[in-house]
Every structure is written in structure tokens, then in C-alpha cells.
Amino acid sequence: MKRLISSIITAITVMLTATSCGNYTDSNNTQAENPAHSLTNLSADVKASVASDYKYTIQDVINLQDFLLLRPTEEDLTGKPYDLTGDNRWDVFDLCLMRREIVDHMNAQSDTLVIYFSRTGNTEKIAEYLIELTDADSYVIEAAMPYSDADIKYQDDNCRANKEQNDKTVRPEIANPIDSIDSYDTIFLGYPIWWGQEPRIIDTFLESYDFSDKTVIPFCTSGSSGIAASEKNIAELVPIGNQIEGRRFPASATKDDVKEWVEMLPLNNEQSEVKLLISVNGQELTASFADSTAAKELAEKLKAEPVTVTLNEYGGFEKVGKLPWSLTRTDASTETEPCDIMLYQGNQMTIFYNSNSWSYTKLGHIENTTQEELKALFGEGDITVTLSLK
Ligand SMILES: Cc1cc2nc3c(=O)[nH]c(=O)nc-3n(C[C@H](O)[C@H](O)[C@H](O)COP(=O)(O)O)c2cc1C
């Protein structure tokens, strides 16, 4: 009776899975039923359970198919999670489910694209971490005329890379242009720093597509130079819907470093909904946070508790005072606007009621007041402000 029920269930399963089984025939099925292929005949550690977060590859399909056809397998199958049906053996049903998982994964296109150019592999390593962490699609920018070692020998004034970087109008041709970026909302754009800037081939790429409705997040690797100059170039080169402040990584950066950065990015707009509340002289000012690491750190600090800071009058354009902590500096030369809130020297907060040019990291911008109102509220002397989250 038990055998009869089992046969009926098997027959129903065959009917249900037939459409997704492609060309697999009963003969495969028969082989799969062969006790020689049953997991009970394999060592205990081969009895792999279904690993829910395992991403099956075409190689897995080949492995399982070879296994079921009694062929030698290319890989050691010890511990492979090939029992997708959970019936304690590997058979053709597992193969069907595996195939379906792969097809589903291929069809579920990501809305995030990691694009990068990397000549010596440092940026590529960061890009690979990013692709893994964000489950993004990827595209590698390759030069139609590849950069030889001599081309990037920057000690030689006349090497190709140096000549290109010295001429802002050069646009090296891309070997394999991606057809379209239309289906992506978020684009991570990675490159090495060449002479303080993005390689010109990045400019070729930027000018080839429409980024006006995209979120673009630059990232780079370098010996020591920062990302700011290249970010400014990118922002000025083409219209970009939302350019989020990027990050420079050293060649030694780890996956954890990249993870930490990705987790701080305001990609799901959570950050932009949190506001900075500044209480001063009995009034409340509301500010948006900037897309900087320092702004995120400030928000994190204020999550714990509000903080009171004394700001001193300075120069007829700002009030500046020491914060209780240092925040990450990503200073860039900036022409501030009235109502801007800046981090100065990593541990001071400056609120501008007039403009000034200096190197700052942006923390935010006060939204609910005008320059004149702010000036009047601040008065001429020192003030005390309490910062909290709204
Ligand atoms: C032509 C050239 C210019 C470079 N200029 C700089 C620079 O200005 N500042 C810096 O810190 N590193 C500079 N570097 C070092 C690279 O930015 C660094 O090695 C980077 O990680 C290489 O990335 P990749 O392996 O993805 O190509 C330069 C390298 C080359 C080849």
C-alpha cells in the first residue's frame, strides 16, 4: 500500500514538473531511481540539505546531470546542496528545480548596475564585492585599444594615460559598449584615480548614456588621492538625477569595508526622511542631512541623544563650534550657501548665514528659513544650539 501511494505521488510529481523539465526523459528518471545514485549509498557529508541561500550555477546543472548519467563529474560533489526536493536523494526532480531556480534568477533582473573600469585589478576587486553585496548586474568598461603596461607607466610623461589625463577633451573608445542602461535605477561607477581624476574613458562612458533619471554612486581606488575631484568632474560633465557622495578605497580594502559603506548609503531614502532639528533661541530649524558619511554618523550619534553645542561668531558669515566627537572628513573645496551646515576640520560644526569658500564636508542644509531670518535669529554674538533628530 505504501509503495502504491509512493508511486502515485511520483506520477503526480512527474506530471507537475514535466513542463519545466525540458528534454529530460524517463530514462534519466530511471537512472535517478537507481540505488547507485541514492544518497543512502554516499558518505554522510554528501547528504546535503537544501541550502536556501545557495545560488545554483550552470556548472551545478552539469554536475548533477553527469552524476545522474553515471558520468565522472568535473567537481567534487561532496557537500553540494543538490537535494532540492528534500527527499534525501539526488534525482531528476532536483535537476528540474535547479534549472528553474537558475532561470528565475536570470529573469529577475536587478535594478542596480555596477559599472567599472580597472586596469590593474584593484577597482575590479571592490566592484566584485559590491556586485555580491548588492546583488547587482555588472558591466566592465574595456578600452577598444587596451591599455598596455607602457600606456600606464605614469613615471613616463609621454605615456598614453598621462597624455590623456592632460587633455580633458580626450575620449578613448570603449570596446564593448553596453546597449542600454534604461532598466537600471542605481548605478555604481568605479574607476582608478589617474592623476587625481577619473580616467578619460569614464567620461566617454558618461557621455554615451542618459543619467538624468539615475542615481549614480562613484567609487574609486587610488594610491592615496581622494575621490572629490573626480566626483566634481562627473557632476559637471552630464546631467545626473541624483549623484550620491562616493567613496575612495585603498587597494587593500576588504569586503567588510565595502559592506560598511554600502550599508550607510542613502539608497532607500530612509536617510533623507530623517531630519536634523536645531533648537536655537527658542526656535526650531529643520535641516536635511547631506549624503555624506559624516552626516550619517551625525544622525547615528543623535539617535542616542540630543547634543548641545556652543557656536561662536566668525567672520561675519558663520557660527562655528566644537562637536563632542570627530566625524569622517570627506572635505572638498566648497562655496557654501547661506543655511548650509558644514563639518570643519572633522570636529567642528559651522552654520552659514553668508557664503564662504573653503574645504568642508557637508552635513546638511537648513530648509525652513531664509538667510535674513537666520541672520536675525542668530544675532551678532555666540549662540547655543541643541541638535536632535526629527
Ligand atoms: C596613470 C596613472 C595615474 C595615477 N595617478 C594616481 C594619483 O593621482 N593618485 C593616486 O593616489 N594614485 C594614482 N595612481 C594609482 C592608481 O589609482 C591605483 O593604483 C589604482 O588602485 C589602480 O586601480 P586599478 O587596479 O583598478 O586599475 C595612478 C595610476 C596610474 C596608472
Side-chain angles (χ1 to χ4, degrees):
M1 183 64 178
K2 236 176 141 187
R3 274 181 82 158
L4 181 64
I5 292 170
S6 163
S7 304
I8 292 168
I9 290 171
T10 305
I12 291 169
T13 316
V14 169
M15 283 160 68
L16 288 176
T17 54
T19 48
S20 62
C21 283
N23 293 327
Y24 289 104
T25 61
D26 281 350
S27 67
N28 296 95
N29 206 4
T30 311
Q31 282 170 316
E33 300 278 342
N34 182 333
H37 294 80
S38 151
L39 289 188
T40 51
N41 286 350
L42 297 169
S43 61
D45 57 351
V46 178
K47 291 184 179 181
S49 60
V50 179
S52 56
D53 57 351
Y54 186 89
K55 279 203 193 90
Y56 294 98
T57 62
I58 303 292
Q59 185 58 51
D60 287 317
V61 171
I62 294 167
N63 289 346
L64 184 53
Q65 188 171 293
D66 285 343
F67 173 80
L68 295 177
L69 293 173
L70 279 177
R71 291 199 291 237
T73 56
E74 272 177 45
E75 291 186 334
D76 176 9
L77 304 192
T78 308
K80 294 279 188 189
Y82 290 171
D83 179 17
L84 281 82
T85 55
D87 62 358
N88 223 22
R89 65 180 180 180
W90 295 353
D91 58 25
V92 72
F93 302 116
D94 298 313
L95 190 60
C96 293
L97 289 181
M98 189 185 283
R99 177 182 170 279
R100 191 185 300 165
E101 281 214 7
I102 292 172
V103 171
D104 285 353
H105 186 71
M106 283 160 73
N107 289 340
Q109 202 201 11
S110 170
D111 63 357
T112 303
L113 181 62
V114 175
I115 292 174
Y116 63 95
F117 168 71
S118 178
R119 171 50 186 79
T120 54
N122 296 339
T123 312
E124 177 161 61
K125 189 186 74 175
I126 305 298
E128 281 170 355
Y129 293 150
L130 256 181
I131 293 162
E132 223 181 302
L133 289 163
T134 59
D135 212 6
D137 291 342
S138 63
Y139 165 65
V140 186
I141 299 174
E142 279 167 13
M145 198 203 297
Y147 289 88
S148 66
D149 289 347
D151 286 343
I152 60 159
K153 197 168 173 224
Y154 56 83
Q155 298 85 349
D156 173 1
D157 285 350
N158 283 321
C159 78
R160 175 182 164 198
N162 289 15
K163 283 199 271 185
E164 287 180 2
Q165 293 309 103
N166 277 332
D167 182 351
K168 276 206 157 195
T169 64
V170 171
R171 294 291 178 267
E173 195 187 330
I174 292 175
N176 53 344
I178 185 171
D179 286 344
S180 162
I181 56 164
D182 288 353
S183 60
Y184 299 99
D185 299 328
T186 303
I187 292 171
F188 287 90
L189 179 59
Y191 47 84
I193 294 294
W194 282 3
W195 293 109
Q197 303 183 8
E198 76 287 1
R200 298 283 168 245
I201 198 163
I202 294 296
D203 300 346
T204 311
F205 173 77
L206 285 165
E207 285 176 349
S208 306
Y209 302 91
D210 179 6
F211 295 89
S212 59
D213 63 346
K214 310 285 177 210
T215 293
V216 174
I217 310 151
F219 65 99
C220 71
T221 62
S222 74
S224 61
S225 300
I227 194 171
S230 63
E231 284 186 305
K232 190 163 176 280
N233 287 348
I234 290 169
E236 287 171 358
L237 193 64
V238 291
I240 291 176
N242 175 26
Q243 183 174 335
I244 292 183
E245 186 171 327
R247 171 69 75 90
R248 174 251 166 200
F249 293 94
S252 58
T254 63
K255 189 172 171 187
D256 280 346
D257 297 330
V258 179
K259 186 165 182 251
E260 204 176 292
W261 173 58
V262 170
E263 284 173 355
M264 296 279 266
L265 287 172
L267 283 177
N268 48 16
N269 286 335
E270 267 174 36
Q271 185 71 25
S272 57
E273 282 160 18
V274 180
K275 301 281 182 190
L276 172 64
L277 201 63
I278 306 169
S279 305
V280 49
N281 293 336
Q283 276 201 45
E284 288 194 336
L285 301 170
T286 304
S288 56
F289 279 104
D291 286 333
S292 63
T293 304
K296 288 173 199 80
E297 290 170 348
L298 176 62
E300 272 306 306
K301 299 276 187 198
L302 296 177
K303 240 188 219 174
E305 56 179 355
V307 64
T308 298
V309 183
T310 301
L311 304 181
N312 306 120
E313 165 60 30
Y314 184 82
F317 49 81
E318 69 177 32
K319 303 279 186 196
V320 56
K322 199 151 184 266
L323 291 165
W325 351 261
S326 289
L327 304 173
T328 301
R329 286 173 79 165
T330 45
D331 288 357
S333 168
T334 313
E335 168 98 37
T336 63
E337 287 175 21
C339 300
D340 275 349
I341 307 167
M342 297 291 184
L343 179 71
Y344 171 59
Q345 292 188 339
N347 64 354
Q348 292 166 65
M349 189 177 88
T350 305
I351 304 180
F352 287 88
Y353 54 87
N354 274 324
S355 52
N356 185 40
S357 289
W358 200 256
S359 195
Y360 301 106
T361 298
K362 192 160 183 179
L363 291 173
H365 184 85
I366 300 170
E367 291 173 330
N368 62 341
T369 191
T370 63
Q371 177 181 14
E372 292 314 314
E373 287 167 351
L374 191 65
K375 261 175 148 174
L377 179 64
F378 277 2
E380 295 195 345
D382 301 344
I383 53 171
T384 299
V385 298
T386 299
L387 310 175
S388 59
L389 292 184
K390 187 173 180 181

